[in-house]
Amino acid sequence: MSFRTPALVVLAFASVAASATPACGGKAVIDDVPLGSGGSASSSSSTSSGTTTTTSSGAPLSLCLQACGLLAGCLVGDSCAARCNAIEPGCKPEQDALLECVIEHLVPNYPCNLPDECVVPVHGLVGCTDNAQTGGTCSSGTIPGCSCSVYDQQNNLLDMSCEDDGGVLDCTCRQNDEVIGTCSQPGFSECDPYADCCATLFFVPGLQ
């Protein structure tokens, strides 16, 4: 039984973020359909060339569209971009820092896992949006895999449960007992909704 507080996670990963090198790999082709201001869907196609992802008109895609496009195979539903764009304006700089980190550092073999470099930006964002962790229970080593259920400042229950598959953890991510997506990450018994692969699925779109 172990429990990690956000402060410890930030300190533990701050040094990692400073020393880790970026993962290589091109950007994905993205076809995301965000909700328009009138509540209807608006179509958008995009192309990728080198490190720049653009729409068919040649304009660069928003950070929300780019990051959500990378997570499309892991998230349930298609509301990621709309939710991401709905963040309160005062926290946009913290959100941009996280999205830029995810876009730059995601590893192709584990496209939804949170890169080590992005743990500190996660805590910067949740500190701004009042979604920081307040308590919970985590366990590992009792079965092949791990589980962790924590509450945030808004009383959301964030749950991450993973099963070991030969050195890879296959994880299910739930918010308030509802599955929001699944993801995989290398490792044996690490389940932290604020530092591992479910964190990407919780905080790129943002908690509702």
Side-chain angles (χ1 to χ4, degrees):
M1 182 79 66
S2 64
F3 175 70
R4 292 184 282 177
T5 64
L8 293 177
V9 174
V10 172
L11 292 175
F13 281 92
S15 60
V16 175
S19 61
T21 57
C24 59
K27 298 296 181 290
V29 174
I30 302 164
D31 287 300
D32 203 322
V33 184
L35 293 178
S37 58
S40 60
S42 58
S43 298
S44 174
S45 61
S46 62
T47 59
S48 179
S49 175
T51 58
T52 301
T53 305
T54 62
T55 64
S56 57
S57 65
L61 284 176
S62 71
L63 292 176
C64 283
L65 280 171
Q66 292 183 63
C68 286
L70 293 172
L71 306 183
C74 299
L75 286 166
V76 173
D78 58 0
S79 63
C80 177
R83 291 167 55 188
C84 179
N85 282 316
I87 192 170
E88 56 189 272
C91 294
K92 195 71 172 67
E94 288 81 2
Q95 182 193 49
D96 285 351
L98 173 60
L99 298 179
E100 288 170 353
C101 185
V102 167
I103 292 166
E104 180 179 359
H105 294 292
L106 273 183
V107 178
N109 288 347
Y110 302 98
C112 299
N113 187 29
L114 185 73
D116 288 345
E117 295 89 343
C118 304
V119 174
V120 171
V122 162
H123 286 280
L125 176 61
V126 301
C128 181
T129 59
D130 293 331
N131 290 120
Q133 178 180 334
T134 59
T137 303
C138 301
S139 62
S140 62
T142 55
I143 58 173
C146 55
S147 64
C148 190
S149 296
V150 300
Y151 287 93
D152 74 353
Q153 291 167 288
Q154 307 296 326
N155 207 37
N156 290 301
L157 177 62
L158 306 181
D159 179 81
M160 179 175 184
S161 57
C162 306
E163 295 183 359
D164 178 37
D165 182 16
V168 174
L169 288 175
D170 295 324
C171 304
T172 300
C173 315
R174 295 179 177 85
Q175 180 184 342
N176 298 326
D177 296 322
E178 180 179 350
V179 174
I180 65 162
T182 59
C183 54
S184 298
Q185 64 185 41
F188 297 94
S189 61
E190 295 182 7
C191 280
D192 187 337
Y194 284 79
D196 294 315
C197 73
C198 284
T200 320
L201 306 190
F202 287 136
F203 303 116
V204 166
L207 300 180
Q208 297 300 294

